[in-house]
Amino acid sequence: KKTSNSNLDIHCMKQSEEDLLTNTSSRIVTRFVLSWKLGETTKGVWLADKTLQVLAEEEFTEWQRWSLDMFSWSLDISRVSCRRLGFLCLVQACVLYTSVCLAADSTYPISRKVDLLIGTGGEGFGVGSDPPGVQIPFGALRLSPDTSLDNIVIAPNHFGGYHHSDNEIRCFSHTHMVGPGVQDFGNIGVMVTRQISMETVTNYGYRSKFSHGNESPQPGYYQVYLEAPQITARLTSCGSHAGIHHYSSNTNNTDPIFILFDPTHSLTKGACNGSSVNIQYNNDFETAYVTGVMTNAGSLTRRNGKGVLIYFAASVQASTIEYGIWNSSGVFKGLNASEAAGSAANGGFLVTNQSEVQVKIGISFVDEEQALLNLKAQVGQQDFVDCQLATQNIWEDALSKVLITGRDEDTEIKFYTALYHSMMAPTNYTEVDGAYRGMDDMIQHSQPTSRAAYSDMSIWDIHRTQISLLAWLRRDVMADILTSLENMMYQGGDLPRWPIANVYAGCMIGNHAYQILLDGLVKNFTDFNVSAVYNLMKEEATSPRPHNGRSDLFNYITRGYCIGGFKNSSVSKTLAYAFDDWAVSEFARHLGEAADMEVFRNRSKNYRNLWDSSRKLMCARDGAGELQCPLDPELNDWIFHSTDYTEGNAEQWKWFVPHDVPGLVELFGGGEEFAKNLDEFMERSHLHPVNLLPNPYYWAGNEPDILAPHLFNFANRSDLTQKHVRWLVDNKYTTKPDGLPGNDDYGTLSAWYVWSALGFYPLTGTPLYIVGSPSISNATITINIGDNRRSKTSLEGT
């Protein structure tokens, strides 16, 4: 569309006239601010006059009305004098109005209740680790800022790349984990500066200060003012694998803008196992194309022995553009990687004198050609506003599946933020033509093309809450998750414990993919091969496999427990294997395999072998079969060294029998004793309100005992479930940056909040839901149930 400044002005004015006719005020002003290239100031005044005519007829909040008054006042100045002051006031007023209007636009009444800074703060074990950037639901591109505090990065605070206490943005990267408890991804860094030197490109010399007062994260849109280069950065996504950066210069600074592409950037220090970048400039179209690749070997992605390939392709349309690369030998302007001295390029840069510039970018886990294809198909000729509005519409539709009235505004903010976080992952790795990289490292194609390939599943966590939420609200996604697990089985030989990209990360214990598949089975998902899945589950549960989660399997089968005393999570493993054996038995029951059902049903009772009736604890057994209970069951010494418990202590793990809670109640001596012990466990947790360290009793910030407050129902004390769940919803989840009690773990904690706020809770692998205590007044849930049919449910809270 760009031929000359004059023609571009005419196009923008025409487009703005069309917007005026539709009375979309925020889009009018957005186009005015983002697209208007100053030719004659009278053109801007004309557009502003027309805009005011429409805006005057709308209803506004106090802040919007104030910004509109500023808009009108600055317009008067521009009429009297077209000097810089009038123009500056006009633009600043437009920017102010735009930010307010977009944040409170009635077009997105649900999305504006999402606060993406929730879950970006906290310390120690209370860090939420959710990135605040942009993506579509389940998108592979998670374009978000990576931050530091005076160039210091404390790893546990930056598992999601961003921490609210920081004062610098290092760069904007395009891949992120969601609320993790480990560092990985954060790849393909892009940043803007005003100059370049070896100092700039060494040790993040291009980083910039920022403040939260000049930051606006929203679903589908992120904006921040970078103080060092005096540039406003805006981000949006354009699909599952593409997005746009928009950079606009402070009007007082006319220095060139340098756009830096750093493929070596990664959240895990030293994770880059090689990278390259290449730049081409097309004079005829005044467009630069930047392509590259990096091998990311982060904390999890390196577990295949080599890492994960991530390709990118970017286009930048700008006049008077220069380019260059840098490597260990220096910075080379006007040269490409093949022309520069020394090693291959570590990064590349573009230089433009324009005050505004867009970077359109696509990423791929397949190859460079696929990255270009993703860029072309998902961005194409769209501008920033087009992609922003499209992504915001997608999020509004996704969030509107649950319409609630909260007790207060904070309740609604917490709820919709949690719902948003619950739909950030897992990751859809299917690219625009159906291609994706499989667990065998081969390029696969989704069949049929409408079926998406999902990965990045924190299975040990999400099977408890988030998967059941997707099975309810997003049956389309749940169906694809089930077939994705099945395809991983065919490609790699085993069901995964923790798949990330195309890697068996092998993280955590057990085979809890069984629970996800069983949840699908009992909730009438029929698109996966139940018999094939069952046959592999049975094999994994009875013999060693390369990627299954059952170490010490021989002792578990022959003795009925994993041998303890070696500080090898023996108690947690025994309890997890028993849970998984129950899932195998349920598959056998469904398929009519009576003998197998009996074998695995009996093995699912192995949790009883660890019970110490005098201590009322699940304890390790040594090689001689003697129980070895910890002296201090509340001690969280697993933080410092391996114990018989995984990420928890004896007090927390004694409640982990989710498949046979009545049997656990029996071990306690009946419902009264069970409820008494559980109530004491919950009450004592209140004495440890800080999330810096793990709570020695109920730990809301982690998964082993996450079901505990709902278990009172099995002892006929639903009142205590209501009491404790309500307390947790009100006290452990807030609207502050540290408003999550721990790592979100791919939406696990957020989904816990969604369920608990609605007033019921799933029992994974069953069709049962446990009644709790709703913290909302009412809710209407609308879900697609296939064949273009919808189901609507209304709930009234008390």
Side-chain angles (χ1 to χ4, degrees):
K1 294 176 181 178
K2 184 182 187 308
T3 55
S4 70
N5 281 344
S6 178
N7 288 341
L8 182 60
D9 285 342
I10 293 170
H11 165 75
C12 291
M13 290 168 66
K14 180 180 179 181
Q15 183 63 57
S16 296
E17 281 188 290
E18 294 172 1
D19 289 342
L20 284 166
L21 294 176
T22 61
N23 197 27
T24 54
S25 58
S26 60
R27 185 163 181 168
I28 297 167
V29 186
T30 302
R31 282 193 178 276
F32 177 65
V33 175
L34 297 184
S35 303
W36 178 33
K37 308 296 183 183
L38 182 61
E40 299 175 25
T41 309
T42 52
K43 291 180 181 178
V45 174
W46 169 87
L47 178 58
D49 263 330
K50 299 277 283 187
T51 303
L52 276 172
Q53 292 173 19
V54 173
L55 300 184
E57 299 175 1
E58 296 194 5
E59 295 182 1
F60 299 98
T61 65
E62 182 178 349
W63 276 99
Q64 288 175 305
R65 176 57 60 188
W66 178 74
S67 61
L68 184 58
D69 289 341
M70 279 193 65
F71 192 8
S72 179
W73 170 73
S74 58
L75 180 58
D76 290 337
I77 295 178
S78 296
R79 285 197 187 93
V80 175
S81 169
C82 289
R83 294 174 184 171
R84 190 177 190 85
L85 174 63
F87 170 65
L88 213 67
C89 291
L90 181 60
V91 171
Q92 289 176 339
C94 286
V95 172
L96 176 62
Y97 174 78
T98 301
S99 63
V100 174
C101 189
L102 284 178
D105 194 334
S106 59
T107 307
Y108 304 110
I110 306 303
S111 297
R112 67 185 176 85
K113 298 177 183 179
V114 175
D115 185 347
L116 293 183
L117 293 181
I118 296 174
T120 63
E123 298 293 338
F125 287 87
V127 178
S129 297
D130 281 324
V134 296
Q135 66 167 99
I136 64 169
F138 316 106
L141 178 125
R142 296 190 180 98
L143 175 52
S144 190
D146 296 333
T147 61
S148 58
L149 180 63
D150 297 326
N151 207 25
I152 297 173
V153 175
I154 301 172
N157 285 1
H158 294 85
F159 293 154
Y162 177 105
H163 195 267
H164 193 267
S165 66
D166 290 342
N167 60 0
E168 297 170 333
I169 290 178
R170 289 188 152 195
C171 63
F172 304 102
S173 66
H174 298 75
T175 62
H176 288 87
M177 299 177 78
V178 179
V182 66
Q183 247 179 343
D184 214 313
F185 285 145
N187 308 120
I188 317 300
V190 173
M191 192 55 173
V192 286
T193 67
R194 293 293 186 174
Q195 53 86 34
I196 193 166
S197 65
M198 282 302 290
E199 183 179 358
T200 308
V201 298
T202 302
N203 195 25
Y204 295 96
Y206 50 68
R207 68 191 184 276
S208 173
K209 299 287 188 182
F210 81 107
S211 69
H212 298 301
N214 291 318
E215 181 185 38
S216 176
Q218 306 166 25
Y221 178 78
Y222 177 88
Q223 176 180 314
V224 67
Y225 180 69
L226 303 173
E227 296 174 10
Q230 297 182 313
I231 289 173
T232 297
R234 299 176 179 89
L235 311 174
T236 194
S237 56
C238 301
S240 61
H241 288 74
I244 298 180
H245 305 237
H246 182 279
Y247 298 106
S248 55
S249 177
N250 184 304
T251 54
N252 291 320
N253 193 328
T254 58
D255 292 338
I257 296 177
F258 288 73
I259 308 167
L260 278 57
F261 296 83
D262 188 349
T264 68
H265 173 69
S266 180
L267 294 181
T268 310
K269 189 175 182 179
C272 179
N273 274 358
S275 67
S276 67
V277 63
N278 187 63
I279 303 174
Q280 294 179 328
Y281 185 69
N282 188 314
N283 285 296
D284 293 335
F285 294 96
E286 295 184 338
T287 301
Y289 296 93
V290 185
T291 57
V293 62
M294 70 91 64
T295 301
N296 182 69
S299 299
L300 297 183
T301 49
R302 67 186 176 205
R303 295 189 181 188
N304 64 354
K306 54 185 178 181
V308 171
L309 289 167
I310 303 171
Y311 300 85
F312 74 96
S315 67
V316 180
Q317 189 173 23
S319 59
T320 63
I321 202 163
E322 295 181 275
Y323 64 90
I325 64 100
W326 74 83
N327 59 27
S328 58
S329 298
V331 175
F332 301 91
K333 292 184 178 180
L335 298 180
N336 217 323
S338 60
E339 305 165 323
S343 61
N346 292 338
F349 61 89
L350 304 173
V351 192
T352 179
N353 289 319
Q354 291 184 185
S355 60
E356 296 182 15
V357 64
Q358 286 189 151
V359 179
K360 299 180 177 181
I361 190 164
I363 64 169
S364 173
F365 295 81
V366 173
D367 55 33
E368 184 178 300
E369 182 179 353
Q370 187 70 46
L372 284 163
L373 185 60
N374 294 339
L375 173 63
K376 181 179 179 181
Q378 295 190 346
V379 183
Q381 296 302 310
Q382 296 183 95
D383 63 16
F384 185 93
V385 178
D386 293 327
C387 283
Q388 174 190 341
L389 294 176
T391 301
Q392 287 177 320
N393 285 333
I394 292 172
W395 274 114
E396 186 71 14
D397 180 67
L399 297 169
S400 296
K401 293 184 182 297
V402 185
L403 299 177
I404 70 161
T405 301
R407 291 175 293 165
D408 50 40
E409 184 181 10
D410 279 1
T411 298
E412 295 187 2
I413 291 172
K414 289 193 294 183
F415 183 89
Y416 282 111
T417 304
L419 187 59
Y420 176 97
H421 286 150
S422 300
M423 291 191 284
M424 291 178 69
T427 303
N428 177 3
Y429 275 90
T430 300
E431 307 193 17
V432 294
D433 63 348
Y436 69 96
R437 191 175 293 273
M439 301 300 279
D440 54 2
D441 207 30
M442 304 296 290
I443 305 305
Q444 309 286 343
H445 283 80
S446 296
Q447 297 293 337
T449 54
S450 60
R451 183 70 75 202
Y454 282 86
S455 187
D456 298 354
M457 301 184 205
S458 184
I459 290 177
W460 189 76
D461 308 294
I462 63 175
H463 81 272
R464 307 163 199 259
T465 60
Q466 191 242 8
I467 283 294
S468 292
L469 188 64
L470 297 182
W472 186 38
L473 297 179
R474 293 299 302 263
R475 290 186 65 86
D476 56 331
V477 174
M478 180 63 172
D480 289 351
I481 289 171
L482 297 172
T483 55
S484 296
L485 291 172
E486 180 187 358
N487 288 332
M488 289 179 187
M489 175 185 82
Y490 297 140
Q491 296 160 8
D494 287 305
L495 289 166
R497 269 191 282 167
W498 209 121
I500 182 168
N502 64 316
V503 177
Y504 283 103
C507 192
M508 307 311 292
I509 60 173
N511 304 92
H512 296 333
Y514 298 2
Q515 318 302 332
I516 294 177
L517 291 159
L518 180 59
D519 216 44
L521 182 66
V522 301
K523 290 167 183 172
N524 301 316
F525 290 87
T526 58
D527 291 344
F528 68 102
N529 190 325
V530 176
S531 295
V533 165
Y534 167 70
N535 288 332
L536 181 60
M537 288 167 60
K538 179 181 174 182
E539 185 176 350
E540 289 182 342
T542 53
S543 59
R545 299 283 302 175
H547 303 296
N548 75 0
R550 296 205 182 198
S551 60
D552 202 20
L553 180 59
F554 177 78
N555 283 313
Y556 174 78
I557 293 174
T558 58
R559 295 170 178 260
Y561 56 88
C562 298
I563 293 182
F566 302 105
K567 309 300 183 184
N568 61 349
S569 297
S570 65
V571 173
S572 300
K573 288 177 181 177
T574 300
L575 297 175
Y577 300 172
F579 184 30
D580 295 335
D581 283 342
W582 168 76
V584 179
S585 75
E586 287 296 292
F587 267 85
R589 182 175 66 83
H590 175 82
L591 293 169
E593 301 286 349
D596 286 350
M597 181 190 74
E598 187 68 19
V599 168
F600 286 101
R601 183 63 56 83
N602 289 335
R603 280 173 48 170
S604 75
K605 307 290 185 182
N606 281 346
Y607 70 88
R608 294 174 174 266
N609 297 330
L610 304 184
W611 184 249
D612 185 315
S613 57
S614 62
R615 302 278 309 272
K616 289 186 170 54
L617 295 173
M618 296 289 183
C619 301
R621 284 192 183 272
D622 60 21
E626 297 296 322
L627 284 171
Q628 302 289 332
C629 290
L631 295 177
D632 186 354
E634 301 91 2
L635 184 63
N636 280 310
D637 52 341
W638 61 271
I639 299 172
F640 309 106
H641 57 82
S642 297
T643 72
D644 286 307
Y645 304 89
T646 298
E647 290 194 8
N649 58 36
E651 278 290 340
Q652 293 157 351
W653 273 97
K654 72 180 180 183
W655 308 105
F656 188 77
V657 189
H659 59 289
D660 187 18
V661 183
L664 181 61
V665 172
E666 180 185 333
L667 290 181
F668 271 89
E672 184 177 348
E673 190 65 22
F674 178 86
K676 175 186 174 184
N677 277 264
L678 184 54
D679 190 39
E680 291 175 355
F681 174 72
M682 297 301 302
E683 290 289 350
R684 288 175 180 174
S685 71
H686 298 178
L687 302 176
H688 304 269
V690 180
N691 296 321
L692 178 65
L693 293 173
N695 197 305
Y697 297 97
Y698 179 73
W699 184 14
N702 206 13
E703 284 71 26
D705 59 353
I706 199 170
L707 179 61
H710 295 275
L711 297 181
F712 290 102
N713 286 272
F714 293 89
N716 294 319
R717 290 303 305 272
S718 59
D719 60 308
L720 291 177
T721 284
Q722 295 162 21
K723 168 188 171 183
H724 290 293
V725 168
R726 176 64 67 86
W727 187 91
L728 291 165
V729 163
D730 289 344
N731 292 278
K732 284 298 182 179
Y733 291 81
T734 75
T735 57
K736 297 179 180 179
D738 61 353
L740 293 179
N743 301 146
D744 202 4
D745 289 329
Y746 278 78
T748 300
L749 298 191
S750 290
W752 185 96
Y753 181 88
V754 171
W755 284 117
S756 299
L758 287 173
F760 55 107
Y761 192 87
L763 197 58
T764 304
T766 78
L768 303 177
Y769 294 85
I770 303 169
V771 174
S773 175
S775 60
I776 59 177
S777 301
N778 57 70
T780 300
I781 299 98
T782 304
I783 57 174
N784 295 321
I785 56 176
D787 300 325
N788 295 318
R789 294 180 298 146
R790 289 190 171 189
S791 171
K792 181 175 286 188
T793 303
S794 295
L795 305 173
E796 293 294 328
T798 58

